[in-house]
């Protein structure tokens, strides 16, 4: 058990036991340079399948779509150390996916160069423009638009 406790401390140095029986742990889990508060309450037999995971609202929000996976990992992890490693990997994935959802749009130079390229190819080749976009729920949305050349553009 001491080896597992040392490993846990090495992997999650900000998660510390809150009582002598080591049934309550509180602290932070770190991912992508950010720390998230959590508390884990284990039953007397220290089995994770009956444990309670209490998260800060930030951590709960990030893991909101992963509730079933977190529950499954709690049911199947042999010890707290294994669960924390899996939770940390899951948090990394959730943060990465969240960043992709909220990726910044291209800079204005991108749109300027796009308009220049369309001008080079000829606006008459691009009368109707179909834009395919994904919503937050990954539903595909199509948008038809009639492109009007910018003022001063010459059509052949």
């Amino acid at each position: 058990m001491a080896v597992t406790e040392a490993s846990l401390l090495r992997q999650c140095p900000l998660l510390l036991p809150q009582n002598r029986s080591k049934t309550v742990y509180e602290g932070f889990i770190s991912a992508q340079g950010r720390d998230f508060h959590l508390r884990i309450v284990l039953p007397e037999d220290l089995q994770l399948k009956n444990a309670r995971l209490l998260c800060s609202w930030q951590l709960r929000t990030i893991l909101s779509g992963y509730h079933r996976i977190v529950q499954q990992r709690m049911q199947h992890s042999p010890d707290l150390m294994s669960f924390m490693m899996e939770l940390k990997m899951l948090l990394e994935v959730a943060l990465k996916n969240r960043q992709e959802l909220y990726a910044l749009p291209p800079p204005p130079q991108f749109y300027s160069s796009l308009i220049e390229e369309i001008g080079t190819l000829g606006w008459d080749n691009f009368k109707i423009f179909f834009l395919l976009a994904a919503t937050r729920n990954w539903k595909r949305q199509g948008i038809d638009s009639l492109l009007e050349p910018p003022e001063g553009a010459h059509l052949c």
Side-chain angles (χ1 to χ4, degrees), residues 29-36 87-89 91-93 95:
I29 185 170
S30 301
Q32 294 186 4
R34 296 172 58 187
D35 296 327
F36 300 94
L87 183 62
K88 195 170 189 171
M89 285 189 291
L91 181 56
E92 293 279 350
V93 168
L95 285 168

Side-chain angles (χ1 to χ4, degrees), residues 22-110:
K22 295 185 173 44
T23 57
V24 178
Y25 284 81
E26 188 166 2
F28 297 88
I29 185 170
S30 301
Q32 294 186 4
R34 296 172 58 187
D35 296 327
F36 300 94
H37 184 259
L38 66 112
R39 180 180 178 99
I40 300 170
V41 181
L42 299 167
E44 293 299 321
D45 63 2
L46 304 178
Q47 295 295 311
L48 275 167
K49 54 183 144 188
N50 297 320
R52 286 186 29 205
L53 176 64
L54 307 166
C55 304
S56 65
W57 67 268
Q58 294 97 338
L59 182 57
R60 190 175 324 125
T61 301
I62 291 167
L63 293 176
S64 65
Y66 299 88
H67 178 75
R68 185 176 278 156
I69 298 170
V70 171
Q71 288 295 108
Q72 180 187 39
R73 296 321 318 143
M74 283 181 78
Q75 293 294 315
H76 297 290
S77 294
D79 55 33
L80 184 57
M81 165 68 179
S82 301
F83 172 71
M84 289 305 297
M85 293 304 296
E86 292 194 50
L87 183 62
K88 195 170 189 171
M89 285 189 291
L90 186 62
L91 181 56
E92 293 279 350
V93 168
L95 285 168
K96 183 176 185 257
N97 289 341
R98 190 174 179 88
Q99 286 172 350
E100 289 172 3
L101 277 178
Y102 299 106
L104 295 175
Q109 296 84 2
F110 168 78

Side-chain angles (χ1 to χ4, degrees), residues 1-10 22 25 46 79 81:
M1 190 71 170
V3 174
T4 305
E5 290 174 25
S7 299
L8 181 62
L9 188 57
R10 195 169 34 260
K22 295 185 173 44
Y25 284 81
L46 304 178
D79 55 33
M81 165 68 179

